[in-house]
């Protein structure tokens, strides 16, 4: 056993019986974009500013075997210090506004801010409540929106792909 | 079935001890007992002595007469109906009420909630700090009063005001140090603050602070048409969308005397059990991930994703949203799809059993699970703990059995309880719940017949209590409709009560076990903060 035999050996893995080709294709394209724009990896810090938790569940699902977003270069990181991008979910509540701003400040420049889910995009169902300030735009500059109630993992992947393409087009 | 009559019981207890009281029947499974304010604490003390359990305590403005009414919802073992004891604080007297938190420990959060919402003080209470209104809200701001008109920026924090930090309970002594965690956590989870006081590695005390996600749902519902509020109920907590939508609709249907077609009841029950399955599968996966064994978690995640996809093919929504409506369901599910579900639940059950035994055969997992985060049985009733947590701590709590509704009046629910109350017991209980849900679905699929899926009828005025067994335990909805609009919508999710258990569960454990204990409870922040 040496390094070369490791490469040519048959891989110990099983194919998923219900693989979704559309997701896979979007993922592979996303990987290409991330490779060129971010040098192989896009590190994301997720912040819940007041969601109903459905969007969080779908973001967690991105890391599970059916999607395994890490294979496309996406990593959810534990600290804003390690992040290239912040994902905000939920309409920003008064009680969370301060914490959201601190996360933004703690993330190194240059950084992307992505609003995921209807609530973060435009204030959603609780727009006009005394307790929310509105969508993520109310407290932070937003670079991209991925709408949905909640968006499915596939829609989130496609949204990230569209964001990468828009960055490349600007260059 | 519990055939005991709570009305007779209460009459026997109060007779000769409380001078004025009236008991009237509500529209669902509740009785309203009205007492004058001066006799209320005496009546409540009598109920407390007879082991009544506080289901919820909330306030309603202009309920029967002008003024603020305190509504106490009680339940009692072996009684299916609820007792709602209410008294009105006269608008002439000071806005004060007597604290009942020494009789019912769970009342403390309710009382603080009422102080924030309505400005009623509890001068003798041991804890009078604010609850859902954090520092940035102005003083004397009480959003649930009718005089407050809900609008954006009504409570926008002024930049000039100097904020006083929240006073956590001090824990002092030699070698005690504090660890503050949150509101923003390291994973993809909801925000909340945990204040640990630690000696060495051992947790000596934990104080939790929630309500970072307070969105003002209860106030937002007021003045809306009931039909509009179904989506709001779905937004209470993502993975309890169906349970809350059904809880809300049940109450409105009872107020309006609306009977739901049999097929719609069957479909609703199937959806509720599917929701339980996917949500609890996430709990199992999370616990295994938190002891650093992701390979063992993968089968749970894969099953969960298959349920999400099945939900989508059946209803068009992975979270089963927009399928429940007042009077039934919005659309029918194709017969082939239901037939396929039967096969799926059988396959899922087998796969789940394999995955559970694979995890439990590993000493590195069982070593972390066993004797970690124990919740004692004696806490269950005082804190009103419900759902899998209570079942893992030696007490059978299940709204589907204790207060049956819909199809649960005749469906057999697994009665398994475990005694130890540790993470392992919760892991096993949740696995059993999922298997039981799969069996329930199979049973309903054998019964389901084609029929109408929705009853159309105008909505009447009135009020009703509705309880449902959501993923995490008993969720309570109380709705008052006036002039065809929602006048008051009180929601109390199982998480609201169950959260306090974590402060006890972590005592004597080490800090690194906290994420595991937290995951084994997996409570909803959104459903608590509202």
């Amino acid at each position: 056993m040496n390094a070369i035999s490791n490469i040519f050996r048959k891989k110990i893995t099983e194919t998923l019986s219900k693989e979704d080709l559309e997701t896979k294709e979007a993922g592979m394209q996303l990987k290409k974009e991330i490779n060129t724009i971010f040098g192989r990896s896009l590190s994301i810090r997720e912040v819940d500013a007041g969601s109903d938790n459905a969007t969080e569940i779908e973001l967690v699902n991105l890391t599970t075997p059916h999607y395994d977003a890490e294979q496309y270069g996406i990593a959810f990181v534990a600290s804003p210090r390690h992040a290239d991008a912040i994902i905000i979910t939920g309409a920003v509540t008064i009680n969370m506004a301060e914490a959201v701003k601190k996360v933004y400040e703690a993330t190194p420049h240059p950084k992307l801010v992505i609003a995921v889910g209807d609530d973060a995009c435009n204030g959603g169902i609780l727009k006009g409540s005394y307790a929310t300030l509105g969508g993520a735009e109310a407290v932070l500059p937003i670079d991209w929106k991925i709408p949905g109630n909640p968006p499915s993992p596939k829609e989130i992947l496609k949204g990230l792909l569209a964001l990468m393409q828009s960055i490349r087009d600007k260059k | 079935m519990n055939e005991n009559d709570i009305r007779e019981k209460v009459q026997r207890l109060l007779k000769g001890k409380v001078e004025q009281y009236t008991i009237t029947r509500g529209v669902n499974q509740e009785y309203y007992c009205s007492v004058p304010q001066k006799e209320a604490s005496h009546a409540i003390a009598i109920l407390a002595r007879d082991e009544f359990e506080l289901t919820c305590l909330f306030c309603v403005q202009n309920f029967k007469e002008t003024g603020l009414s305190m509504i106490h919802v009680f339940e009692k073992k072996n009684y299916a109906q609820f007792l709602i004891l209410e008294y009105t604080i006269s608008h002439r007297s000071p806005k004060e009420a007597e604290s009942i938190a020494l009789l019912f420990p769970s009342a403390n959060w309710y009382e603080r909630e009422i102080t924030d919402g309505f400005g009623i003080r509890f001068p003798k209470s041991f804890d009078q700090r604010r609850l859902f209104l954090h520092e940035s809200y102005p003083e004397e701001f009480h959003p649930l009063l009718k005089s407050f008109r809900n609008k954006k920026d009504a409570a926008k924090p002024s930049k000039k005001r100097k904020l006083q930090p929240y006073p956590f309970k001090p824990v002092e002594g030699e070698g005690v140090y504090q660890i503050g965690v949150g509101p923003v956590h390291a994973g993809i989870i909801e925000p909340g603050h945990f204040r640990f006081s630690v000696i060495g590695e051992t947790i000596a005390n934990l104080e939790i602070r929630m309500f970072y996600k307070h969105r003002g749902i209860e106030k937002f519902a007021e003045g809306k048409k009931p039909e509009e509020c179904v989506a709001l109920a779905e937004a209470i907590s993502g993975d309890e969308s169906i349970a809350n939508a059904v809880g809300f609709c049940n109450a409105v249907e009872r107020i309006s005397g609306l009977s739901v077609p049999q097929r719609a009841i069957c479909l609703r029950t199937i959806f509720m059990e599917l929701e339980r399955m996917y949500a609890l599968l996430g709990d199992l996966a999370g616990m295994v991930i938190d002891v650093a064994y992701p390979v063992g978690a993968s089968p749970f995640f894969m099953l969960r994703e298959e349920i999400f996809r099945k939900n989508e093919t059946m209803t068009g929504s992975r979270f089963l949203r927009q399928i429940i409506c007042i009077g039934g369901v919005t659309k029918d599910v194709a017969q082939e799809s239901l037939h396929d579900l039967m096969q799926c639940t059988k396959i899922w059950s087998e796969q789940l059993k394999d995955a559970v035994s694979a995890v439990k055969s590993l000493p590195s997992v069982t070593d972390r699970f066993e004797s970690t985060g124990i919740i004692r049985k004696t806490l269950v009733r005082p804190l009103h703990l419900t759902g899998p947590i209570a079942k893992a701590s030696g007490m059978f709590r299940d709204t589907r059995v204790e207060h049956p509704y819909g199809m649960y009046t005749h469906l057999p629910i697994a009665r398994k309880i475990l005694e130890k109350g540790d993470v392992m017991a919760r892991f096993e209980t949740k696995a059993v719940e999922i298997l039981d849900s799969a069996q329930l679905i199979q049973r309903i699929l054998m019964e389901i017949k084609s029929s109408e899926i929705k009853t159309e009828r105008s909505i009447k005025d009135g009020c009703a209590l509705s309880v449902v067994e959501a993923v995490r335990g008993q969720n309570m909805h109380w709705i008052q409709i006036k002039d065809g609009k929602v006048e008051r919508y009180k929601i109390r999710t199982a998480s609201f009560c169950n959260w306090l258990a974590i402060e006890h569960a972590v005592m004597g454990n080490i800090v690194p076990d906290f994420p595991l204990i937290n995951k084994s409870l997996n409570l909803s922040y959104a459903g608590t903060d509202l």
Side-chain angles (χ1 to χ4, degrees), chain B residues 230-258:
Chain B
V230 182
L232 198 61
E234 286 177 343
I236 291 168
S237 177
D239 52 5
E240 292 182 1
S241 295
I242 279 286
N244 286 321
V246 170
F248 175 81
C249 289
N250 275 351
V252 177
E253 284 152 8
R254 293 314 289 253
I255 293 171
S256 310
L258 216 155

Side-chain angles (χ1 to χ4, degrees), chain B residues 10 199 223 340 345 356 530:
Chain B
V10 174
I199 304 171
D340 183 46
T345 49
V356 169
L530 298 177

Side-chain angles (χ1 to χ4, degrees), chain B residues 295-513:
Chain B
V295 176
S298 291
F300 301 122
F301 275 135
M302 285 162 78
L303 282 172
R304 176 170 149 103
E305 179 64 25
E306 283 187 32
I307 300 179
F308 273 124
R309 290 182 182 186
K310 185 72 195 153
N311 288 350
E312 195 176 12
T313 45
M314 285 198 304
T315 68
S317 161
R318 286 162 62 88
F319 285 81
L320 300 163
R321 284 183 167 173
Q322 294 171 5
I323 186 77
I324 303 291
C325 64
I326 296 167
V329 291
T330 51
K331 54 188 165 199
D332 207 346
V333 178
Q335 203 53 43
E336 314 84 88
S337 211
L338 290 178
H339 186 72
D340 183 46
L341 181 62
M342 179 74 108
Q343 298 309 315
C344 287
T345 49
K346 285 177 183 160
I347 299 165
W348 293 339
S349 300
E350 290 313 309
Q351 288 173 336
L352 176 66
K353 282 178 198 160
D354 288 348
V356 169
S357 57
V359 165
K360 277 167 60 181
S361 65
L362 263 187
S364 61
V365 173
T366 51
D367 182 51
R368 292 285 305 277
F369 278 12
E370 279 170 356
S371 75
T372 305
I374 293 173
I375 295 173
R376 280 172 293 118
K377 188 179 176 177
T378 45
L379 287 172
V380 174
R381 288 196 184 273
L383 295 181
H384 192 61
L385 309 181
T386 53
I389 295 177
K391 288 179 194 167
S393 293
M395 199 176 283
F396 184 79
R397 299 304 304 271
D398 194 320
T399 308
R400 295 171 295 176
V401 176
E402 291 174 291
H403 313 283
Y405 52 96
M407 290 191 83
Y408 298 117
T409 45
H410 72 276
L411 285 178
I413 310 285
R415 294 276 193 145
K416 190 171 164 105
I417 55 166
L418 291 170
E419 295 294 332
K420 285 191 177 156
D422 55 1
V423 172
M424 181 56 111
R426 290 192 281 277
F427 182 82
E428 289 178 344
T429 306
K430 289 182 175 187
V432 170
E433 290 258 301
I434 300 168
L435 291 172
D436 189 41
S437 290
Q439 286 205 333
L440 290 175
I441 292 172
Q442 289 162 20
R443 207 185 140 113
I444 301 163
L445 286 171
M446 286 193 282
E447 282 184 31
I448 194 165
K449 294 189 183 71
S450 41
S451 78
E452 292 293 302
I453 52 159
K454 195 182 167 192
T455 313
E456 303 263 5
R457 189 179 303 170
S458 59
I459 288 161
K460 293 185 187 139
D461 287 1
C463 61
L465 176 82
S466 153
V467 287
V468 285
E469 181 73 7
V471 177
R472 299 170 176 90
Q474 179 197 61
N475 283 11
M476 190 211 82
H477 298 250
W478 188 87
I479 293 132
Q480 186 188 13
I481 299 175
K482 203 170 168 182
D483 305 325
K485 304 260 171 72
V486 174
E487 176 76 3
R488 176 88 169 95
Y489 181 17
K490 173 65 204 166
I491 308 141
R492 201 271 296 133
T493 61
S495 299
F496 187 94
C497 297
N498 290 351
W499 264 117
L500 285 172
I502 203 169
E503 293 185 349
H504 300 268
V506 298
M507 297 281 258
N509 286 265
I510 56 172
V511 180
D513 271 339

